[in-house]
Amino acid sequence: MANWSKRLVPTRLIDRRAFLGSTAAAAIAAGLSTETWAQGSKTGVDLNSWTPKYISSIAGTENYDTAAECYKVVPKDYAGRVTYWYFGPNAASPQIQHEMDAQFWDAFSKTYPNIKVTKQNLDYNEMLNKLRTAALGKAAPMVARLPILWGVEFAAKGQLKEFKPEDVGYSRDEFWPGALKSVTWKEKTYGVPTNNETMAFIWNADLFKQAGLDPESPPATWDDVVAYSKQIKEKTGKNGYGMVARVNAGNTPFRFMPQLWAFGGGALDEAEASPTYKNIFINNAGSKAALQASYDMYVRDRSVPASALTNTQNENQDPFLQGQLAMMIAHPAEYAVMLDRAKKATGDDKKAADAVVANMRYGFVPKGSARRAIVFGGSNAHIFNPDIVEGGLDLNAAKALVCMLTGPEWSTKLAWTDSNPGNVRGFKTRWMKERLDTIKFLDVTTSMLPYGVPFPVLPQSAEIMNIVVPNMLQNALTKKMSVSDAADDAAKKIKDLMSDF
Amino acid sequence: MTGAVAGLVAPAAAPRSRENLLRRIVRHRADYLYVAPALGVMALVIGYPIYYTIHLSFFRTPPNLALDEKIFAGLENYQRILEADTFQEATWNTFVWTIYSTFFSFVLGFGAALALNRAFHGRGLLRGVLLVPYVISAVAASYVWRWLYHSDVGVIGAFATALGLSDGPINFLDNRQWVMASLIVVNVWKEFPFAMIMLMAGLQTVPEQLLSAARVDGAGPWSRFRHVTVPHLKSVILVTVLLLLVTNLNSFTIPYIMTGGGPAGASEIWITHIYQIAFGRIRFGLASAYSVILFVVMMALGYFYVRALTASEEKAAA
């Protein structure tokens, strides 16, 4: 293992911003023919300009009057009611998310004093099933904010109302094409993006140091992740990589698919330059290599938490804060969460937590043999069809809410620690500048946007990502099946699923 | 004459019986009116869902279709279930889960009931303590046990390591070999007080005279237990075991919250599998067929339960 550290530790420490700048520049220099450019092009991000420097330069350059913009769509004195379901801040969210959520509702009631809101803040892992049941029972809310992965299923069932950015006064150019694609089903638009998420790679510099690794450099490739994880376990006894492989929890595909795509795999062909969503890649050589990498960490090296099969990402936060876990894929929010928790800790726990926070580092998610990739995530605001909305749809009230949610101001504020505003004008606001100035590592996740790959825009996507892919992982990691058999089994399930439609 | 009369009388018997039924209904119309609202509500909230589930079990309901666009598929859903590997695994898991949970809950409950039936200092407190698992919400218990079992930070694993029984994390819930046994322990912990209560109530009805007579006749504790107590508790035992079987067969909360059926399906039992098919995968037709199969098994258990209950009531009446 000593060879690894010799090969990977640079002779001098690299400044984080310099590292990001050079990485982005390297990506640009790689030219238009690279796979990375194909991804950037697909998600609508121009790599030529999308650098941390550029993002910082446009932040705080424009002001927007949200109320004035929304009054053009729904007048101030409009009286009505709107029902709204969303997964908002919860116990694991940083305090600032709670504050922003409260500020939004305060602002909405001031902007539209005569619109009564009935809102439900649901648990992420429960919301999909509840919404499916409610929609079937004709008890859906008027508006729901759904993760990118879910919306198309409801659109395919005919449960969503056709609804596009122009309906709330915004141009399509204000939203990422990749995000707009996620609200499009059979050439029709069924929602408006609220925020776009890309995550980054987070590591504990002190644990790296203890393991003989360069504390300021993340693993460059997924092969490095496997090697680092083993080395950390061997040298420190702590867990290396924070794997998440729970079934039916969105955390799993958000962390495993970047690995799968990096090796040239995929559920379908979603990571290719021109996806058809008809070719199954889950058992190709790349997918099997990615699965083997997970197997190597979990089974061979035992260098990841043994509880990975039942964990969601929340369960990785405490061991990370206690310095028991070295690496994981995470949002910028993770830093805010760690800060909050460190503040609440006392005595020796506080000392340890403060030390871990000081040693937190964010970098680009590692590359694989085929590409660097991250999930192009986020959420969209949708309006349900009047015939399945409980108590009927008040379209104007719903429009007023969606307008507020998706404008430059609130799509920035409500995504305060969650990477990127849905409305690209949000990047020019003073709130974006404030975020960049105050949220450490935000620029890293924002700079990951060009590598974002949207999940397949298919109604089967939720089942593929939340059930088939995690089951494949579990089949291999529990040795129920060999790596190859687990991948082939997943391919068969996806094939059956596709033929079911 | 008798033959002729018999020939005349016999055909008239059926209409007279119907007439009697009608007359009886008319005569007891007030009774029927009293129960009519309850029957109506039951038909609506129990009868209709059962009918609709059976109906839906013969249809394909792909996830991109609304239920009113379902496609008739005959017995296809039943065929798919019976042919699926997951059915065999879930059935075996359900069998293991139900039988072991019932057996250990009953044995532990019976043991506790016998112990608490004796007078000793602190009996009341112990009764209260043993009832705690039963009154705790299954959801809360599941979350607490999940943390106790946690493979990395669980207290049980830490104790085992401290005592030198293990040299590292114990994968209670993340291991296919251990997961079902781990869940059964939690379920038994949660269920045994129920058996204890039932059997304690039964034990208090065992006539002291019979036990005294047996003692006078030279019967030892085991003989008195075997020949006096158990026969007297036969109906209570039967009802308790049947209720435990039904409860465990329908038990959803503990396996769903603690493992979600994992890892790799190792703790997937029928009821969690049905939930997953219906709400995780939106296969309502398939899930309905599964539910019908479970319903048939439950009805069989229900039949034995009613028979046991009837026998118990008849015995009490006698």
Side-chain angles (χ1 to χ4, degrees), chain B residues 109 111-135 189 192-205:
Chain B
L114 286 169
L116 291 175
N117 200 41
R118 304 170 75 89
F120 60 90
H121 187 66
R123 182 171 73 160
L125 179 69
L126 193 59
R127 270 184 188 171
V129 169
L130 289 179
L131 277 175
V132 167
Y134 191 60
V135 296
W189 172 83
F192 92 86
F194 166 74
M196 184 185 80
I197 295 166
M198 294 284 285
L199 292 162
M200 267 172 62
L203 281 170
Q204 284 167 17
T205 66

Side-chain angles (χ1 to χ4, degrees), chain A residues 129 132-133 136 153 156-157 239 246-248 298 304-312 315 322 459 463 467 471 474-475 478 480 496-497 499-501, chain B residues 60 62-67 80 89 146-147 150-152 169 171 173-174 176 256-260 262-265 275-276 279-284:
Chain A
N129 287 351
R132 281 167 170 167
T133 313
L136 279 175
E153 178 191 313
K157 286 177 187 171
N239 284 313
R246 187 177 170 85
V247 177
N248 219 7
Y298 189 84
V304 300
S307 54
L309 305 187
T310 40
N311 276 355
T312 61
E315 277 88 53
Q322 290 155 4
E463 184 173 344
I467 296 175
N471 267 328
Q474 294 210 346
N475 284 335
T478 59
K480 183 183 182 183
D496 290 347
L497 198 54
S499 64
D500 242 4
F501 279 71
Chain B
R60 288 186 74 189
N64 65 336
L65 295 180
L67 284 184
R80 284 177 70 177
E89 188 175 16
R146 215 175 119 185
W147 281 105
H150 196 280
S151 303
D152 296 303
N171 291 5
L173 300 180
D174 297 288
R176 284 180 57 77
Y256 183 75
I257 289 180
M258 290 186 67
T259 64
Y275 178 84
Q276 186 64 265
F279 299 102
R281 299 175 50 203
I282 318 294
R283 301 292 198 284
F284 285 102

Side-chain angles (χ1 to χ4, degrees), chain A residues 207-220:
Chain A
L207 274 179
F208 268 42
K209 201 174 167 185
Q210 288 177 35
L213 299 164
D214 177 1
E216 301 306 323
S217 296

Side-chain angles (χ1 to χ4, degrees), chain A residues 292-444:
Chain A
Q292 182 67 46
S294 290
Y295 179 90
D296 289 346
M297 287 189 279
Y298 189 84
V299 181
R300 189 193 66 189
D301 305 337
R302 298 185 179 189
S303 62
V304 300
S307 54
L309 305 187
T310 40
N311 276 355
T312 61
Q313 178 61 15
N314 286 348
E315 277 88 53
N316 277 336
Q317 290 173 345
D318 282 325
F320 189 89
L321 195 60
Q322 290 155 4
Q324 299 291 322
L325 176 64
M327 305 178 281
M328 57 191 187
I329 289 180
H331 290 285
E334 216 80 359
Y335 181 73
V337 169
M338 298 292 169
L339 270 180
D340 275 3
R341 292 197 178 188
K343 273 182 201 162
K344 287 173 190 164
T346 54
D348 288 344
D349 284 349
K350 181 162 176 57
K351 275 185 195 165
D354 285 342
V356 171
V357 168
N359 280 306
M360 274 180 85
R361 301 288 186 275
Y362 272 69
F364 277 18
V365 173
K367 283 199 290 190
S369 50
R371 57 177 72 85
R372 187 195 306 278
I374 192 73
V375 177
F376 189 95
S379 297
N380 305 309
H382 300 280
I383 294 182
F384 282 85
N385 267 331
D387 58 333
I388 62 163
V389 170
E390 190 167 30
L393 172 66
D394 183 338
L395 185 57
N396 276 335
K399 275 185 177 181
L401 179 59
V402 176
C403 179
M404 289 275 288
L405 283 170
T406 59
E409 178 180 358
W410 288 105
S411 76
T412 306
K413 288 182 175 176
L414 291 174
W416 200 261
T417 56
D418 291 339
S419 43
N420 307 296
N423 191 313
V424 293
R425 283 194 289 149
F427 284 97
K428 298 178 180 175
T429 61
R430 63 186 164 90
W431 301 291
M432 185 68 199
K433 182 166 172 45
E434 191 183 332
R435 291 175 70 217
L436 286 167
D437 290 344
T438 56
I439 303 178
K440 215 173 173 182
F441 309 121
L442 185 64
D443 52 349
V444 185

